[in-house]
Amino acid sequence: MSIARIRKGDTVICISGNDAGKTGKVTSVDPKKGTAIVEKLNVHKKAMKRTEKTPGGIIDIEMPIRLCKLMPYDAEKKCGTRVRIEERDGKKVRVSVKSGKVL
């Protein structure tokens, strides 16, 4: 089993595009398509039809964003960081390259 660079629940920073420099929390990841949905990033307006569940009208919805445009966010250094895979206590863990802390 390989360990992903970005997982659900991670805080990430967008490194390119219209949302460059913004941070958000990952809500879902699709590794086959290479995309992720992040709160408050890549937001588009969408017209929704009124149903029993939704009131309808024009709503803001987060669209998928490519994983290559995202980096894990290091709160200690206040910037994006690369990820290194290390083995600690017999388990593979993701470690921040800049701060050396486990993500």
Side-chain angles (χ1 to χ4, degrees), residues 34-84:
T35 60
I37 295 178
V38 183
E39 291 177 356
K40 303 173 193 168
L41 287 182
N42 203 22
V43 178
H44 292 281
K45 298 223 180 263
K46 185 172 181 181
M48 295 291 288
K49 193 172 186 178
R50 184 168 46 102
T51 63
E52 292 179 6
K53 295 179 183 176
T54 60
I58 297 175
I59 62 166
D60 290 333
I61 187 167
E62 287 107 5
M63 301 298 285
I65 188 167
R66 301 287 301 177
L67 290 174
C68 62
K69 294 186 176 196
L70 302 173
M71 278 184 103
Y73 184 72
D74 192 353
E76 186 176 294
K77 299 284 185 177
K78 303 259 194 259
C79 61
T81 182
R82 296 186 313 273
V83 175
R84 173 176 41 233

mmCIF file of all heavy atoms in Angstrom, residues 34-84:
data_model
loop_
_atom_site.group_PDB
_atom_site.id
_atom_site.type_symbol
_atom_site.label_atom_id
_atom_site.label_comp_id
_atom_site.label_asym_id
_atom_site.label_seq_id
_atom_site.Cartn_x
_atom_site.Cartn_y
_atom_site.Cartn_z
ATOM 1 N N GLY A 34 -6.716 12.024 -9.852
ATOM 2 C CA GLY A 34 -5.674 12.949 -9.431
ATOM 3 C C GLY A 34 -6.235 14.291 -9.012
ATOM 4 O O GLY A 34 -5.615 15.327 -9.250
ATOM 5 N N THR A 35 -7.412 14.278 -8.383
ATOM 6 C CA THR A 35 -8.048 15.517 -7.965
ATOM 7 C C THR A 35 -8.454 15.452 -6.496
ATOM 8 O O THR A 35 -8.518 14.377 -5.908
ATOM 9 C CB THR A 35 -9.319 15.803 -8.800
ATOM 10 O OG1 THR A 35 -10.244 14.733 -8.621
ATOM 11 C CG2 THR A 35 -8.995 15.979 -10.260
ATOM 12 N N ALA A 36 -8.737 16.620 -5.944
ATOM 13 C CA ALA A 36 -9.219 16.726 -4.570
ATOM 14 C C ALA A 36 -10.217 17.868 -4.493
ATOM 15 O O ALA A 36 -10.160 18.810 -5.285
ATOM 16 C CB ALA A 36 -8.066 16.979 -3.612
ATOM 17 N N ILE A 37 -11.124 17.771 -3.528
ATOM 18 C CA ILE A 37 -12.056 18.862 -3.265
ATOM 19 C C ILE A 37 -11.626 19.501 -1.958
ATOM 20 O O ILE A 37 -11.463 18.817 -0.947
ATOM 21 C CB ILE A 37 -13.505 18.360 -3.204
ATOM 22 C CG1 ILE A 37 -13.909 17.824 -4.581
ATOM 23 C CG2 ILE A 37 -14.440 19.478 -2.764
ATOM 24 C CD1 ILE A 37 -15.298 17.255 -4.649
ATOM 25 N N VAL A 38 -11.400 20.821 -1.998
ATOM 26 C CA VAL A 38 -10.880 21.563 -0.851
ATOM 27 C C VAL A 38 -11.872 22.665 -0.492
ATOM 28 O O VAL A 38 -12.383 23.366 -1.380
ATOM 29 C CB VAL A 38 -9.501 22.181 -1.187
ATOM 30 C CG1 VAL A 38 -8.923 22.885 0.016
ATOM 31 C CG2 VAL A 38 -8.553 21.111 -1.685
ATOM 32 N N GLU A 39 -12.112 22.830 0.829
ATOM 33 C CA GLU A 39 -13.011 23.884 1.280
ATOM 34 C C GLU A 39 -12.468 25.246 0.882
ATOM 35 O O GLU A 39 -11.288 25.528 1.058
ATOM 36 C CB GLU A 39 -13.150 23.846 2.806
ATOM 37 C CG GLU A 39 -13.899 22.651 3.329
ATOM 38 C CD GLU A 39 -13.942 22.615 4.841
ATOM 39 O OE1 GLU A 39 -13.315 23.484 5.488
ATOM 40 O OE2 GLU A 39 -14.592 21.708 5.371
ATOM 41 N N LYS A 40 -13.332 26.103 0.351
ATOM 42 C CA LYS A 40 -13.033 27.494 0.000
ATOM 43 C C LYS A 40 -12.031 27.652 -1.140
ATOM 44 O O LYS A 40 -11.499 28.736 -1.344
ATOM 45 C CB LYS A 40 -12.540 28.273 1.218
ATOM 46 C CG LYS A 40 -13.513 28.261 2.382
ATOM 47 C CD LYS A 40 -12.891 28.906 3.579
ATOM 48 C CE LYS A 40 -13.698 28.621 4.824
ATOM 49 N NZ LYS A 40 -12.995 28.992 6.033
ATOM 50 N N LEU A 41 -11.732 26.593 -1.884
ATOM 51 C CA LEU A 41 -10.841 26.691 -3.047
ATOM 52 C C LEU A 41 -11.582 26.214 -4.288
ATOM 53 O O LEU A 41 -12.350 25.259 -4.223
ATOM 54 C CB LEU A 41 -9.589 25.833 -2.865
ATOM 55 C CG LEU A 41 -8.538 26.318 -1.889
ATOM 56 C CD1 LEU A 41 -7.362 25.359 -1.902
ATOM 57 C CD2 LEU A 41 -8.058 27.698 -2.212
ATOM 58 N N ASN A 42 -11.322 26.858 -5.419
ATOM 59 C CA ASN A 42 -11.917 26.508 -6.699
ATOM 60 C C ASN A 42 -13.445 26.527 -6.610
ATOM 61 O O ASN A 42 -14.117 25.596 -7.030
ATOM 62 C CB ASN A 42 -11.407 25.149 -7.183
ATOM 63 C CG ASN A 42 -11.525 24.993 -8.676
ATOM 64 O OD1 ASN A 42 -11.599 25.965 -9.404
ATOM 65 N ND2 ASN A 42 -11.545 23.745 -9.132
ATOM 66 N N VAL A 43 -13.983 27.616 -6.068
ATOM 67 C CA VAL A 43 -15.428 27.749 -5.878
ATOM 68 C C VAL A 43 -16.056 28.325 -7.145
ATOM 69 O O VAL A 43 -15.582 29.322 -7.684
ATOM 70 C CB VAL A 43 -15.735 28.662 -4.666
ATOM 71 C CG1 VAL A 43 -17.224 28.853 -4.496
ATOM 72 C CG2 VAL A 43 -15.127 28.072 -3.407
ATOM 73 N N HIS A 44 -17.123 27.671 -7.611
ATOM 74 C CA HIS A 44 -17.856 28.117 -8.794
ATOM 75 C C HIS A 44 -19.324 28.277 -8.446
ATOM 76 O O HIS A 44 -19.827 27.642 -7.519
ATOM 77 C CB HIS A 44 -17.717 27.102 -9.931
ATOM 78 C CG HIS A 44 -16.349 27.021 -10.491
ATOM 79 N ND1 HIS A 44 -15.855 27.932 -11.385
ATOM 80 C CD2 HIS A 44 -15.345 26.141 -10.280
ATOM 81 C CE1 HIS A 44 -14.609 27.610 -11.701
ATOM 82 N NE2 HIS A 44 -14.274 26.528 -11.035
ATOM 83 N N LYS A 45 -20.007 29.098 -9.208
ATOM 84 C CA LYS A 45 -21.457 29.272 -9.042
ATOM 85 C C LYS A 45 -22.148 28.238 -9.929
ATOM 86 O O LYS A 45 -21.736 27.998 -11.055
ATOM 87 C CB LYS A 45 -21.869 30.675 -9.445
ATOM 88 C CG LYS A 45 -21.228 31.737 -8.585
ATOM 89 C CD LYS A 45 -22.225 32.781 -8.228
ATOM 90 C CE LYS A 45 -21.612 33.845 -7.372
ATOM 91 N NZ LYS A 45 -21.839 33.667 -5.987
ATOM 92 N N LYS A 46 -23.211 27.650 -9.384
ATOM 93 C CA LYS A 46 -23.936 26.629 -10.130
ATOM 94 C C LYS A 46 -25.431 26.842 -9.919
ATOM 95 O O LYS A 46 -25.870 27.089 -8.793
ATOM 96 C CB LYS A 46 -23.529 25.241 -9.645
ATOM 97 C CG LYS A 46 -24.134 24.123 -10.443
ATOM 98 C CD LYS A 46 -23.562 22.788 -10.047
ATOM 99 C CE LYS A 46 -24.185 21.694 -10.884
ATOM 100 N NZ LYS A 46 -23.684 20.382 -10.541
ATOM 101 N N ALA A 47 -26.200 26.759 -10.990
ATOM 102 C CA ALA A 47 -27.646 26.885 -10.897
ATOM 103 C C ALA A 47 -28.232 25.527 -10.543
ATOM 104 O O ALA A 47 -28.002 24.544 -11.240
ATOM 105 C CB ALA A 47 -28.218 27.380 -12.219
ATOM 106 N N MET A 48 -28.955 25.477 -9.428
ATOM 107 C CA MET A 48 -29.546 24.222 -8.963
ATOM 108 C C MET A 48 -31.059 24.301 -9.066
ATOM 109 O O MET A 48 -31.666 25.319 -8.723
ATOM 110 C CB MET A 48 -29.155 23.951 -7.510
ATOM 111 C CG MET A 48 -27.681 23.717 -7.297
ATOM 112 S SD MET A 48 -27.101 22.177 -7.985
ATOM 113 C CE MET A 48 -27.822 21.027 -6.854
ATOM 114 N N LYS A 49 -31.663 23.218 -9.508
ATOM 115 C CA LYS A 49 -33.109 23.142 -9.589
ATOM 116 C C LYS A 49 -33.682 22.898 -8.191
ATOM 117 O O LYS A 49 -33.079 22.194 -7.383
ATOM 118 C CB LYS A 49 -33.498 22.002 -10.518
ATOM 119 C CG LYS A 49 -34.921 21.989 -10.940
ATOM 120 C CD LYS A 49 -35.144 20.938 -12.002
ATOM 121 C CE LYS A 49 -36.549 21.034 -12.527
ATOM 122 N NZ LYS A 49 -36.776 20.047 -13.584
ATOM 123 N N ARG A 50 -34.815 23.464 -7.909
ATOM 124 C CA ARG A 50 -35.421 23.295 -6.587
ATOM 125 C C ARG A 50 -35.944 21.871 -6.428
ATOM 126 O O ARG A 50 -36.607 21.333 -7.309
ATOM 127 C CB ARG A 50 -36.567 24.284 -6.408
ATOM 128 C CG ARG A 50 -37.183 24.236 -5.031
ATOM 129 C CD ARG A 50 -38.092 25.411 -4.793
ATOM 130 N NE ARG A 50 -38.993 25.696 -5.877
ATOM 131 C CZ ARG A 50 -40.284 25.363 -5.898
ATOM 132 N NH1 ARG A 50 -40.824 24.750 -4.884
ATOM 133 N NH2 ARG A 50 -41.029 25.675 -6.935
ATOM 134 N N THR A 51 -35.579 21.241 -5.300
ATOM 135 C CA THR A 51 -36.066 19.906 -4.960
ATOM 136 C C THR A 51 -36.528 19.929 -3.506
ATOM 137 O O THR A 51 -36.506 20.971 -2.847
ATOM 138 C CB THR A 51 -34.958 18.841 -5.120
ATOM 139 O OG1 THR A 51 -33.911 19.136 -4.201
ATOM 140 C CG2 THR A 51 -34.407 18.816 -6.536
ATOM 141 N N GLU A 52 -36.923 18.768 -3.006
ATOM 142 C CA GLU A 52 -37.331 18.691 -1.606
ATOM 143 C C GLU A 52 -36.154 18.940 -0.665
ATOM 144 O O GLU A 52 -36.314 19.473 0.421
ATOM 145 C CB GLU A 52 -37.948 17.329 -1.307
ATOM 146 C CG GLU A 52 -39.275 17.107 -1.996
ATOM 147 C CD GLU A 52 -39.854 15.733 -1.703
ATOM 148 O OE1 GLU A 52 -39.281 15.012 -0.871
ATOM 149 O OE2 GLU A 52 -40.871 15.400 -2.311
ATOM 150 N N LYS A 53 -34.963 18.539 -1.095
ATOM 151 C CA LYS A 53 -33.779 18.665 -0.246
ATOM 152 C C LYS A 53 -33.113 20.030 -0.358
ATOM 153 O O LYS A 53 -32.568 20.540 0.607
ATOM 154 C CB LYS A 53 -32.759 17.583 -0.591
ATOM 155 C CG LYS A 53 -33.243 16.187 -0.305
ATOM 156 C CD LYS A 53 -32.215 15.155 -0.686
ATOM 157 C CE LYS A 53 -32.740 13.768 -0.450
ATOM 158 N NZ LYS A 53 -31.805 12.737 -0.889
ATOM 159 N N THR A 54 -33.099 20.614 -1.555
ATOM 160 C CA THR A 54 -32.405 21.887 -1.767
ATOM 161 C C THR A 54 -33.395 22.973 -2.145
ATOM 162 O O THR A 54 -34.382 22.715 -2.849
ATOM 163 C CB THR A 54 -31.348 21.766 -2.882
ATOM 164 O OG1 THR A 54 -32.006 21.396 -4.099
ATOM 165 C CG2 THR A 54 -30.301 20.739 -2.544
ATOM 166 N N PRO A 55 -33.144 24.217 -1.694
ATOM 167 C CA PRO A 55 -34.058 25.303 -2.036
ATOM 168 C C PRO A 55 -33.934 25.768 -3.489
ATOM 169 O O PRO A 55 -34.819 26.425 -4.007
ATOM 170 C CB PRO A 55 -33.644 26.423 -1.082
ATOM 171 C CG PRO A 55 -32.230 26.130 -0.753
ATOM 172 C CD PRO A 55 -32.101 24.645 -0.787
ATOM 173 N N GLY A 56 -32.830 25.445 -4.146
ATOM 174 C CA GLY A 56 -32.637 25.839 -5.530
ATOM 175 C C GLY A 56 -32.021 27.219 -5.650
ATOM 176 O O GLY A 56 -31.680 27.857 -4.664
ATOM 177 N N GLY A 57 -31.840 27.662 -6.875
ATOM 178 C CA GLY A 57 -31.230 28.956 -7.125
ATOM 179 C C GLY A 57 -29.751 28.799 -7.456
ATOM 180 O O GLY A 57 -29.264 27.715 -7.756
ATOM 181 N N ILE A 58 -29.022 29.899 -7.381
ATOM 182 C CA ILE A 58 -27.592 29.887 -7.693
ATOM 183 C C ILE A 58 -26.824 29.691 -6.395
ATOM 184 O O ILE A 58 -26.967 30.469 -5.456
ATOM 185 C CB ILE A 58 -27.182 31.183 -8.401
ATOM 186 C CG1 ILE A 58 -27.920 31.283 -9.742
ATOM 187 C CG2 ILE A 58 -25.675 31.217 -8.621
ATOM 188 C CD1 ILE A 58 -27.705 32.561 -10.478
ATOM 189 N N ILE A 59 -26.004 28.627 -6.340
ATOM 190 C CA ILE A 59 -25.241 28.309 -5.128
ATOM 191 C C ILE A 59 -23.756 28.273 -5.451
ATOM 192 O O ILE A 59 -23.366 28.115 -6.607
ATOM 193 C CB ILE A 59 -25.682 26.968 -4.511
ATOM 194 C CG1 ILE A 59 -25.424 25.803 -5.475
ATOM 195 C CG2 ILE A 59 -27.132 26.997 -4.098
ATOM 196 C CD1 ILE A 59 -25.512 24.446 -4.836
ATOM 197 N N ASP A 60 -22.935 28.417 -4.414
ATOM 198 C CA ASP A 60 -21.485 28.271 -4.557
ATOM 199 C C ASP A 60 -21.128 26.829 -4.254
ATOM 200 O O ASP A 60 -21.554 26.280 -3.233
ATOM 201 C CB ASP A 60 -20.746 29.195 -3.588
ATOM 202 C CG ASP A 60 -20.889 30.649 -3.970
ATOM 203 O OD1 ASP A 60 -21.078 30.917 -5.171
ATOM 204 O OD2 ASP A 60 -20.808 31.511 -3.082
ATOM 205 N N ILE A 61 -20.349 26.218 -5.134
ATOM 206 C CA ILE A 61 -19.961 24.824 -4.949
ATOM 207 C C ILE A 61 -18.467 24.678 -5.196
ATOM 208 O O ILE A 61 -17.915 25.322 -6.098
ATOM 209 C CB ILE A 61 -20.781 23.888 -5.870
ATOM 210 C CG1 ILE A 61 -20.511 22.429 -5.574
ATOM 211 C CG2 ILE A 61 -20.537 24.201 -7.324
ATOM 212 C CD1 ILE A 61 -21.499 21.487 -6.210
ATOM 213 N N GLU A 62 -17.787 23.868 -4.370
ATOM 214 C CA GLU A 62 -16.362 23.620 -4.560
ATOM 215 C C GLU A 62 -16.183 22.550 -5.635
ATOM 216 O O GLU A 62 -16.766 21.480 -5.547
ATOM 217 C CB GLU A 62 -15.707 23.130 -3.258
ATOM 218 C CG GLU A 62 -15.537 24.203 -2.226
ATOM 219 C CD GLU A 62 -16.495 24.060 -1.072
ATOM 220 O OE1 GLU A 62 -17.229 23.068 -1.024
ATOM 221 O OE2 GLU A 62 -16.511 24.965 -0.222
ATOM 222 N N MET A 63 -15.381 22.873 -6.617
ATOM 223 C CA MET A 63 -15.115 21.946 -7.711
ATOM 224 C C MET A 63 -13.767 21.261 -7.475
ATOM 225 O O MET A 63 -12.928 21.782 -6.742
ATOM 226 C CB MET A 63 -15.084 22.701 -9.045
ATOM 227 C CG MET A 63 -16.383 23.437 -9.362
ATOM 228 S SD MET A 63 -17.799 22.357 -9.520
ATOM 229 C CE MET A 63 -17.484 21.651 -11.112
ATOM 230 N N PRO A 64 -13.548 20.089 -8.105
ATOM 231 C CA PRO A 64 -12.266 19.395 -7.924
ATOM 232 C C PRO A 64 -11.097 20.217 -8.450
ATOM 233 O O PRO A 64 -11.227 20.973 -9.418
ATOM 234 C CB PRO A 64 -12.432 18.120 -8.750
ATOM 235 C CG PRO A 64 -13.894 17.946 -8.904
ATOM 236 C CD PRO A 64 -14.489 19.307 -8.892
ATOM 237 N N ILE A 65 -9.948 20.063 -7.799
ATOM 238 C CA ILE A 65 -8.719 20.756 -8.192
ATOM 239 C C ILE A 65 -7.619 19.710 -8.293
ATOM 240 O O ILE A 65 -7.597 18.744 -7.523
ATOM 241 C CB ILE A 65 -8.371 21.875 -7.184
ATOM 242 C CG1 ILE A 65 -7.208 22.721 -7.676
ATOM 243 C CG2 ILE A 65 -8.094 21.333 -5.815
ATOM 244 C CD1 ILE A 65 -7.022 24.000 -6.884
ATOM 245 N N ARG A 66 -6.729 19.867 -9.251
ATOM 246 C CA ARG A 66 -5.666 18.888 -9.476
ATOM 247 C C ARG A 66 -4.725 18.826 -8.278
ATOM 248 O O ARG A 66 -4.407 19.844 -7.659
ATOM 249 C CB ARG A 66 -4.856 19.245 -10.729
ATOM 250 C CG ARG A 66 -5.639 19.318 -12.021
ATOM 251 C CD ARG A 66 -6.072 18.004 -12.563
ATOM 252 N NE ARG A 66 -4.906 17.166 -12.815
ATOM 253 C CZ ARG A 66 -4.976 15.917 -13.243
ATOM 254 N NH1 ARG A 66 -6.139 15.365 -13.455
ATOM 255 N NH2 ARG A 66 -3.889 15.230 -13.452
ATOM 256 N N LEU A 67 -4.247 17.610 -7.955
ATOM 257 C CA LEU A 67 -3.348 17.421 -6.828
ATOM 258 C C LEU A 67 -1.994 18.093 -7.050
ATOM 259 O O LEU A 67 -1.337 18.489 -6.093
ATOM 260 C CB LEU A 67 -3.135 15.932 -6.549
ATOM 261 C CG LEU A 67 -4.333 15.179 -5.976
ATOM 262 C CD1 LEU A 67 -4.025 13.701 -5.882
ATOM 263 C CD2 LEU A 67 -4.724 15.728 -4.627
ATOM 264 N N CYS A 68 -1.589 18.253 -8.314
ATOM 265 C CA CYS A 68 -0.299 18.877 -8.596
ATOM 266 C C CYS A 68 -0.303 20.368 -8.238
ATOM 267 O O CYS A 68 0.755 20.973 -8.110
ATOM 268 C CB CYS A 68 0.094 18.684 -10.051
ATOM 269 S SG CYS A 68 -1.042 19.432 -11.226
ATOM 270 N N LYS A 69 -1.482 20.965 -8.053
ATOM 271 C CA LYS A 69 -1.580 22.376 -7.687
ATOM 272 C C LYS A 69 -1.666 22.575 -6.181
ATOM 273 O O LYS A 69 -1.792 23.699 -5.720
ATOM 274 C CB LYS A 69 -2.807 23.004 -8.340
ATOM 275 C CG LYS A 69 -2.713 23.054 -9.855
ATOM 276 C CD LYS A 69 -3.873 23.797 -10.431
ATOM 277 C CE LYS A 69 -3.692 23.921 -11.934
ATOM 278 N NZ LYS A 69 -4.573 24.945 -12.472
ATOM 279 N N LEU A 70 -1.613 21.498 -5.401
ATOM 280 C CA LEU A 70 -1.747 21.576 -3.956
ATOM 281 C C LEU A 70 -0.485 21.093 -3.259
ATOM 282 O O LEU A 70 0.192 20.196 -3.745
ATOM 283 C CB LEU A 70 -2.923 20.715 -3.476
ATOM 284 C CG LEU A 70 -4.292 21.038 -4.055
ATOM 285 C CD1 LEU A 70 -5.297 20.001 -3.604
ATOM 286 C CD2 LEU A 70 -4.726 22.428 -3.639
ATOM 287 N N MET A 71 -0.174 21.705 -2.110
ATOM 288 C CA MET A 71 0.930 21.276 -1.252
ATOM 289 C C MET A 71 0.422 21.203 0.179
ATOM 290 O O MET A 71 -0.368 22.064 0.592
ATOM 291 C CB MET A 71 2.080 22.280 -1.279
ATOM 292 C CG MET A 71 3.012 22.180 -2.427
ATOM 293 S SD MET A 71 4.369 23.346 -2.229
ATOM 294 C CE MET A 71 5.654 22.252 -1.713
ATOM 295 N N PRO A 72 0.876 20.232 0.952
ATOM 296 C CA PRO A 72 0.527 20.228 2.377
ATOM 297 C C PRO A 72 1.025 21.511 3.038
ATOM 298 O O PRO A 72 2.109 21.987 2.747
ATOM 299 C CB PRO A 72 1.254 19.005 2.926
ATOM 300 C CG PRO A 72 1.441 18.127 1.747
ATOM 301 C CD PRO A 72 1.632 19.038 0.579
ATOM 302 N N TYR A 73 0.218 22.074 3.939
ATOM 303 C CA TYR A 73 0.527 23.349 4.587
ATOM 304 C C TYR A 73 1.181 23.087 5.938
ATOM 305 O O TYR A 73 0.670 22.318 6.739
ATOM 306 C CB TYR A 73 -0.749 24.161 4.767
ATOM 307 C CG TYR A 73 -0.544 25.529 5.348
ATOM 308 C CD1 TYR A 73 0.038 26.536 4.602
ATOM 309 C CD2 TYR A 73 -0.934 25.815 6.644
ATOM 310 C CE1 TYR A 73 0.217 27.806 5.121
ATOM 311 C CE2 TYR A 73 -0.763 27.080 7.185
ATOM 312 C CZ TYR A 73 -0.189 28.074 6.412
ATOM 313 O OH TYR A 73 -0.013 29.318 6.926
ATOM 314 N N ASP A 74 2.326 23.721 6.157
ATOM 315 C CA ASP A 74 3.044 23.612 7.430
ATOM 316 C C ASP A 74 2.710 24.840 8.264
ATOM 317 O O ASP A 74 3.167 25.946 7.969
ATOM 318 C CB ASP A 74 4.552 23.519 7.174
ATOM 319 C CG ASP A 74 5.339 23.117 8.403
ATOM 320 O OD1 ASP A 74 4.727 23.047 9.495
ATOM 321 O OD2 ASP A 74 6.542 22.853 8.280
ATOM 322 N N ALA A 75 1.897 24.662 9.316
ATOM 323 C CA ALA A 75 1.448 25.789 10.132
ATOM 324 C C ALA A 75 2.602 26.428 10.901
ATOM 325 O O ALA A 75 2.582 27.623 11.184
ATOM 326 C CB ALA A 75 0.367 25.329 11.104
ATOM 327 N N GLU A 76 3.621 25.627 11.235
ATOM 328 C CA GLU A 76 4.760 26.160 11.983
ATOM 329 C C GLU A 76 5.569 27.138 11.142
ATOM 330 O O GLU A 76 5.967 28.205 11.602
ATOM 331 C CB GLU A 76 5.644 24.999 12.446
ATOM 332 C CG GLU A 76 6.773 25.399 13.350
ATOM 333 C CD GLU A 76 7.541 24.183 13.830
ATOM 334 O OE1 GLU A 76 6.967 23.379 14.564
ATOM 335 O OE2 GLU A 76 8.717 24.074 13.436
ATOM 336 N N LYS A 77 5.826 26.791 9.887
ATOM 337 C CA LYS A 77 6.609 27.641 8.989
ATOM 338 C C LYS A 77 5.743 28.600 8.178
ATOM 339 O O LYS A 77 6.254 29.458 7.478
ATOM 340 C CB LYS A 77 7.423 26.768 8.021
ATOM 341 C CG LYS A 77 8.414 25.858 8.699
ATOM 342 C CD LYS A 77 9.611 26.622 9.158
ATOM 343 C CE LYS A 77 10.640 25.646 9.732
ATOM 344 N NZ LYS A 77 11.845 26.301 10.130
ATOM 345 N N LYS A 78 4.414 28.437 8.231
ATOM 346 C CA LYS A 78 3.451 29.276 7.507
ATOM 347 C C LYS A 78 3.672 29.241 5.995
ATOM 348 O O LYS A 78 3.654 30.274 5.326
ATOM 349 C CB LYS A 78 3.504 30.722 7.993
ATOM 350 C CG LYS A 78 3.271 30.891 9.467
ATOM 351 C CD LYS A 78 1.871 31.348 9.727
ATOM 352 C CE LYS A 78 1.703 31.840 11.143
ATOM 353 N NZ LYS A 78 1.100 30.935 12.016
ATOM 354 N N CYS A 79 3.903 28.041 5.451
ATOM 355 C CA CYS A 79 4.076 27.897 4.013
ATOM 356 C C CYS A 79 3.837 26.440 3.624
ATOM 357 O O CYS A 79 3.647 25.584 4.468
ATOM 358 C CB CYS A 79 5.475 28.336 3.594
ATOM 359 S SG CYS A 79 6.782 27.377 4.359
ATOM 360 N N GLY A 80 3.874 26.178 2.318
ATOM 361 C CA GLY A 80 3.744 24.816 1.828
ATOM 362 C C GLY A 80 5.030 24.045 2.055
ATOM 363 O O GLY A 80 6.115 24.614 2.149
ATOM 364 N N THR A 81 4.906 22.719 2.148
ATOM 365 C CA THR A 81 6.078 21.883 2.378
ATOM 366 C C THR A 81 5.991 20.613 1.549
ATOM 367 O O THR A 81 4.906 20.152 1.209
ATOM 368 C CB THR A 81 6.204 21.529 3.877
ATOM 369 O OG1 THR A 81 7.387 20.743 4.066
ATOM 370 C CG2 THR A 81 5.017 20.730 4.368
ATOM 371 N N ARG A 82 7.148 20.086 1.218
ATOM 372 C CA ARG A 82 7.194 18.785 0.568
ATOM 373 C C ARG A 82 7.050 17.713 1.640
ATOM 374 O O ARG A 82 7.227 17.972 2.822
ATOM 375 C CB ARG A 82 8.501 18.621 -0.198
ATOM 376 C CG ARG A 82 8.632 19.621 -1.330
ATOM 377 C CD ARG A 82 9.875 19.364 -2.175
ATOM 378 N NE ARG A 82 11.080 19.153 -1.406
ATOM 379 C CZ ARG A 82 11.891 20.111 -0.983
ATOM 380 N NH1 ARG A 82 11.608 21.369 -1.228
ATOM 381 N NH2 ARG A 82 12.978 19.826 -0.312
ATOM 382 N N VAL A 83 6.747 16.493 1.210
ATOM 383 C CA VAL A 83 6.514 15.397 2.149
ATOM 384 C C VAL A 83 7.521 14.291 1.885
ATOM 385 O O VAL A 83 7.783 13.925 0.742
ATOM 386 C CB VAL A 83 5.074 14.856 1.987
ATOM 387 C CG1 VAL A 83 4.847 13.652 2.860
ATOM 388 C CG2 VAL A 83 4.080 15.939 2.323
ATOM 389 N N ARG A 84 8.078 13.783 2.980
ATOM 390 C CA ARG A 84 9.008 12.657 2.903
ATOM 391 C C ARG A 84 8.357 11.492 3.651
ATOM 392 O O ARG A 84 7.731 11.685 4.693
ATOM 393 C CB ARG A 84 10.327 13.059 3.551
ATOM 394 C CG ARG A 84 11.321 11.952 3.683
ATOM 395 C CD ARG A 84 12.658 12.384 4.248
ATOM 396 N NE ARG A 84 12.551 13.343 5.344
ATOM 397 C CZ ARG A 84 13.191 14.516 5.376
ATOM 398 N NH1 ARG A 84 13.953 14.882 4.387
ATOM 399 N NH2 ARG A 84 13.071 15.317 6.413
#
